[in-house]
Amino acid sequence: MNKPIALNVEGITISGQLYLPHSQVPYPTVCVCHGIPNRVHDPADRGYPALAERICREGFAVLIFNFRGTGDSGGNFDILGWPRDLKAVIDYLWTLSEVDKSHLSLLGYSGGAAVSIYVAAQDKRISCVAACACPAELGFVAEAGEPQAVVEHFRSLGVIRDEGFPHSVEEWLDGFRLIRAIDHVARIAPRPLLLVHNRRDEVVAVSHAHRLYARAREPKELVILDGAEHALRQDEQATSIVIGWLKSRCRG
């Protein structure tokens, strides 16, 4: 079964969906973190719900949610706000009797993977992290063009919604330079870390995965797939690898 959730984070509504399996409680739990939007949100896109249902069928409770500025959540896209959104989601999961507190995992994709590593490095409630197509740093987003043009790009995608946002373009862009998974990945240990990347990913080069793996400490695993797709949530092989790893490393 699944149920909607709505959390208030700094006056912003963060919306999500909690999927619960029909098995004995408490459940090992996976919190899924999506990436930075690259197109206008399509309400009919069942990518993440389908992923959640698939993982749930394996006996996991799964929470998917929209970071601020995206999907059904309120606010404006602000990468420095995303770690605070994720922390609030973890706080919520921690209150649930259905959640096995010893097996609370993060599964992140692209920018959401970077945020997952950033948060898990500081939050020992997280038992393991699976990071797919994870950038070692997000500074390339800030440097993608003239500062105001970067803002207008995200405004055109519908994730910057308020006319007066951001108050300071430079401070907003600095957020991308501060969320650096490479600076935090070593602190995931001794909890397990999985990195999955496509060899010919044209959005986040595979070199990012190799750099993160080199910096991380054991236990760690790196899987390089022979593909070019960046959106690994849509990749059957990547999904099977992640689920197998979660089952083997994160269940009692």
Side-chain angles (χ1 to χ4, degrees), residues 38-50:
N38 61 3
R39 62 179 183 272
V40 176
H41 175 61
D42 178 4
D45 182 356
R46 295 205 74 256
Y48 282 105

Side-chain angles (χ1 to χ4, degrees), residues 133-154:
C134 183
E137 62 274 307
L138 289 172
F140 66 90
V141 178
E143 276 108 47
E146 190 273 328
Q148 191 59 45
V150 177
V151 173
E152 293 307 318
H153 166 70
F154 286 109

